[in-house]
Amino acid sequence: MISLNGIEKVYHSQSGQIHALRGINLEVKAGEIFGVIGKSGAGKSTLIRCINRLEQPTAGTVIVDGQDITKLTENELRESRKKIGMIFQHFNLLSSRTVFDNIAFPLELAGYAKQDIEDTVVRLLKLVGLSDKRDQYPSQLSGGQKQRVGIARALANRPKVLLCDEATSALDPQTTKSILELLKDINRELKLTIVLITHEMHVIKEICDQVAVMENGLIIEQGPILDIFTQPQAAITQEFIGTIMNHDLPDHFKDMPLSRTPLPDSKLLLRLSFIGDAAGEPIIAGMIRRFDIDVSILYGNMDHIRNVSFGTLIVELSGNQDAIHRALEYTKAHEVGSEVIGYVPRHAYAAV
């Protein structure tokens, strides 16, 4: 549906060139919710605005539904943009128009008949849950209601793609959740392809199928949401995930001397990762029963993405080193990820 190939964007200023995008390659499949996350200045807003050519790429091609957006004339681009809806962080509603008239505005510009406009707007008001607000003005609406109007307006021309530029950043957590639920419903009911940019990882977790992580104008990591959450590679990705999931070692272990190799009379600190069916397996009980070792759970976290369970445990293993080694092999046989944090001498506990 959307293919970005070698996208570059360079701005020229009095202080010199600003390289906002550096060779971006991205594929978004039809019907997918694709998230782009990055900190301020990463280039994500520039990237999404290149998709509908609100920003003209300095180099590269943007293909949307088989059409190269970068090669269109102004008239052709206006027609193409009718199939690419967009919603914004600050809503961008017309304050002098009612809710009904805001949604009707793009249809009026497109020359639709009055009855067609009425039918379309009434349908969209029902879709976004604002049928009772049709005659109110933006100043009379809450932030979440304003964004629902923005979504309805973006859907007026029956687009195939919906671009969301920090669409929930100005909203409180509960309103954000309701807007994300609405976007999921729209994606499911209308088979709409959605590209969403944000700096909030919980938004990515809640709604996206795929995610790309941006830093300094580059995509440094991308893939299915479950893979990125459970096996983050880049430091910035780990930082984002750390805002909603704690993978850190408990504080009282951070100052202990850790060895990567077994020590006499030591305990092993192990991070276990569970995905899918493995999350329901009694792995800890199995290790204790089979290998005659002691296992203490120091920290645990469980969550769900797209109805798939995943979680992390930090555990402490003590006992015969051969038995501990066999216990590690046992976790691998049950498709449980295991990461050796280190070995801690028993006498280190007395010093904490």
Side-chain angles (χ1 to χ4, degrees):
M1 169 57 76
I2 301 173
S3 179
L4 277 62
N5 303 289
I7 295 297
E8 304 270 343
K9 180 62 182 179
V10 179
Y11 294 102
H12 300 277
S13 68
Q14 292 182 344
S15 58
Q17 291 186 343
I18 300 172
H19 215 140
L21 299 176
R22 304 170 183 268
I24 297 292
N25 297 302
L26 201 62
E27 299 286 335
V28 181
K29 297 177 182 177
E32 197 168 58
I33 303 179
F34 197 106
V36 180
I37 189 169
K39 295 183 178 181
S40 297
K44 56 189 186 298
S45 288
T46 302
L47 174 62
I48 200 171
R49 291 167 67 88
C50 283
I51 295 177
N52 60 1
R53 227 177 88 185
L54 287 178
E55 292 284 357
Q56 174 68 45
T58 305
T61 59
V62 179
I63 310 296
V64 179
D65 197 25
Q67 190 175 43
D68 188 348
I69 300 297
T70 60
K71 290 183 169 57
L72 299 182
T73 65
E74 286 301 317
N75 286 336
E76 290 171 336
L77 183 59
R78 276 194 292 272
E79 287 301 309
S80 180
R81 281 178 178 158
K82 293 178 182 178
K83 298 304 178 183
I84 308 174
M86 190 166 188
I87 57 176
F88 305 88
Q89 177 180 358
H90 297 296
F91 321 127
N92 290 4
L93 302 181
L94 300 170
S95 60
S96 61
R97 281 179 162 251
T98 65
V99 167
F100 183 98
D101 291 336
N102 264 281
I103 299 171
F105 188 57
L107 298 172
E108 295 169 1
L109 293 178
Y112 280 75
K114 187 174 181 180
Q115 188 58 53
D116 290 338
I117 292 175
E118 173 76 21
D119 293 343
T120 298
V121 175
V122 168
R123 175 179 57 83
L124 290 171
L125 283 169
K126 182 178 180 181
L127 178 67
V128 301
L130 291 178
S131 295
D132 61 333
K133 305 293 183 184
R134 62 172 285 163
D135 296 323
Q136 294 191 4
Y137 289 86
S139 61
Q140 298 172 286
L141 304 178
S142 68
Q145 289 168 340
K146 290 176 183 177
Q147 194 57 283
R148 286 173 182 269
V149 177
I151 292 170
R153 182 182 58 186
L155 297 177
N157 279 313
R158 297 181 182 272
K160 294 183 178 181
V161 174
L162 180 63
L163 307 179
C164 305
D165 188 358
E166 295 277 12
T168 61
S169 295
L171 304 176
D172 62 77
Q174 191 59 40
T175 306
T176 291
K177 185 174 179 62
S178 70
I179 292 297
L180 294 179
E181 287 296 329
L182 174 60
L183 290 175
K184 283 193 286 188
D185 289 342
I186 289 170
N187 168 255
R188 182 172 55 251
E189 293 179 23
L190 304 182
K191 312 300 182 187
L192 198 64
T193 303
I194 297 177
V195 180
L196 178 150
I197 70 165
T198 182
H199 61 274
E200 300 170 302
M201 201 64 184
H202 72 89
V203 171
I204 297 291
K205 171 182 171 292
E206 184 71 25
I207 193 173
C208 295
D209 302 303
Q210 302 272 334
V211 60
V213 183
M214 290 193 68
E215 188 175 32
N216 297 325
L218 297 168
I219 291 178
I220 58 171
E221 191 167 1
Q222 63 178 302
I225 184 68
L226 189 61
D227 291 352
I228 296 298
F229 263 81
T230 56
Q231 299 176 2
Q233 302 300 308
I236 185 68
T237 310
Q238 294 170 5
E239 183 180 338
F240 275 125
I241 292 173
T243 62
I244 59 174
M245 290 185 64
N246 182 13
H247 292 284
D248 291 342
L249 203 59
D251 289 341
H252 67 280
F253 283 96
K254 291 180 179 178
D255 296 328
M256 287 187 178
L258 290 175
S259 170
R260 298 297 298 177
T261 57
L263 300 169
D265 198 28
S266 64
K267 296 185 177 185
L268 172 64
L269 297 184
L270 185 69
R271 182 181 283 108
L272 300 176
S273 300
F274 304 81
I275 304 174
D277 293 340
E281 291 290 324
I283 301 298
I284 302 299
M287 285 194 291
I288 295 171
R289 185 170 57 250
R290 291 170 179 266
F291 305 109
D292 191 28
I293 59 175
D294 292 326
V295 181
S296 299
I297 298 175
L298 306 178
Y299 172 81
N301 183 79
M302 183 68 72
D303 213 326
H304 297 81
I305 291 180
R306 294 302 199 190
N307 297 320
V308 177
S309 301
F310 73 99
T312 300
L313 287 177
I314 296 178
V315 298
E316 174 191 81
L317 277 58
S318 59
N320 179 275
Q321 288 299 329
D322 181 61
I324 290 176
H325 176 75
R326 287 186 285 119
L328 288 175
E329 295 301 317
Y330 173 77
T331 63
K332 295 175 184 176
H334 284 74
E335 299 183 349
V336 174
S338 59
E339 175 193 353
V340 173
I341 297 172
Y343 292 85
V344 181
R346 289 182 186 273
H347 64 76
Y349 287 82
V352 177

